[in-house]
């Protein structure tokens, strides 16, 4: 139930890159605000409040960021327990209006393996060359919990080894299509997933240009 909390990048961020942030907690925290020490401007991608389970999940991005030492702060009154947050710095994305499409869903299945089908939804991309970033959380449990998330097909996991209650994953795509934004779960716990497709800075499939820098979590 902190009034605000922060996590710092382990090394300087690079000017022109994009920062992706997600956070969640018990309660309705959809009015949460993000800031950082470099004064970058954050845009809300999606707010999801699951009233049935009293949990929230919000995602943001800051495009064309300033470079230097950086700490990201979530300023919100978090209710209850099990608050968590993840941060990614990504290179090679469009510096203006980078968001192509986004999606979000609450998993409501009774079979945990179906998390892949419910939580996250499908990214129906409009731009041909996109970088997909997805986040998911299980607020019903404390770490380590009984629910283990695995990355979806063709995604790379971007989270510390052994972390189960929150995950991030990324994938480079080079053509328009319908891409699942979901993870796979192994237990019967409700979850919230978000997905975002960001436009690449250069048109065309040049996946070697793009990288994820310093994925950070706070649990």
């Amino acid at each position: 139930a902190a009034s605000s909390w922060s996590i710092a990048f382990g090394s300087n961020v690079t000017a022109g890159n994009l920062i992706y942030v997600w956070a969640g907690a018990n309660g309705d925290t959809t009015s949460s605000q993000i800031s950082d020490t470099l004064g970058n401007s954050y845009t809300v991608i999606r707010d999801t409040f699951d009233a049935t389970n009293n949990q929230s999940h919000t995602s943001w991005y800051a495009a064309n960021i300033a470079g230097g030492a950086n700490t990201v702060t979530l300023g919100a009154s978090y209710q209850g327990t099990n608050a968590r947050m993840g941060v990614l710095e990504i290179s090679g994305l469009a510096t203006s209006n980078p968001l192509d499409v986004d999606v979000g869903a609450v998993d409501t299945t009774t079979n945990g393996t179906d998390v892949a089908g419910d939580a996250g939804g499908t990214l129906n991309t409009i731009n041909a060359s996109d970088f997909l970033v997805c986040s998911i959380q299980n607020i019903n449990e404390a770490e380590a919990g009984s629910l283990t998330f695995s990355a979806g097909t063709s995604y790379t996991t971007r989270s510390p080894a052994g972390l189960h209650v929150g995950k991030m994953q990324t994938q480079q795509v080079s053509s328009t299509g319908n891409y699942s934004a979901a993870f796979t779960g192994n237990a019967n716990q409700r979850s919230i997933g978000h997905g975002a497709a960001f436009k690449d800075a250069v048109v065309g499939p040049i996946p070697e240009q793009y990288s994820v820098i310093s994925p950070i979590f706070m649990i």
Side-chain angles (χ1 to χ4, degrees):
S3 59
S4 68
W5 42 290
S6 304
I7 47 178
F9 284 93
S11 59
N12 287 1
V13 298
T14 300
N17 285 351
L18 180 143
I19 293 175
Y20 174 88
V21 181
W22 71 266
N26 290 332
D28 186 355
T29 62
T30 53
S31 62
S32 305
Q33 300 296 318
I34 286 288
S35 62
D36 67 28
T37 52
L38 293 173
N40 292 305
S41 177
Y42 286 83
T43 298
V44 175
I45 301 171
R46 182 172 287 263
D47 275 330
T48 302
F49 175 54
D50 172 16
T52 300
N53 296 285
N54 193 37
Q55 60 181 348
S56 298
H57 188 96
T58 306
S59 51
W60 303 260
Y61 74 85
N64 195 21
I65 63 171
N70 196 24
T71 297
V72 179
T73 297
L74 175 64
S77 297
Y78 272 74
Q79 303 174 41
T81 57
N82 301 337
R84 53 209 50 161
M85 180 181 182
V87 179
L88 291 176
E89 180 191 4
I90 308 165
S91 67
L93 300 181
T95 56
S96 178
N97 300 316
L99 186 63
D100 183 12
V101 294
D102 69 277
V103 69
V106 177
D107 175 52
T108 59
T109 61
T110 57
N111 181 346
T113 59
D114 291 338
V115 169
D118 272 10
T122 301
L123 288 164
N124 303 310
T125 61
I126 300 169
N127 190 60
S129 186
D130 277 356
F131 193 75
L132 314 183
V133 184
C134 307
S135 56
I136 198 166
Q137 68 184 43
N138 166 24
I139 294 298
N140 290 338
E141 296 183 288
E143 183 65 41
S146 62
L147 171 57
T148 298
F149 291 121
S150 300
T153 303
S154 300
Y155 280 95
T156 299
T157 298
R158 305 290 184 179
S159 53
L163 180 65
H164 301 306
V165 295
K167 290 283 187 180
M168 294 184 284
Q169 63 182 10
T170 64
Q171 178 184 174
Q172 176 69 45
V173 299
S174 57
S175 61
T176 57
N178 301 328
Y179 299 96
S180 171
F183 297 71
T184 299
N186 71 333
N188 299 331
Q189 291 286 348
R190 296 197 178 197
S191 306
I192 302 177
H194 282 183
F198 294 105
K199 292 176 280 188
D200 294 332
V202 179
V203 176
I206 315 177
E208 65 272 14
Q209 177 180 346
Y210 313 105
S211 61
V212 172
I213 306 159
S214 303
I216 303 173
F217 273 80
M218 178 175 286
I219 301 297

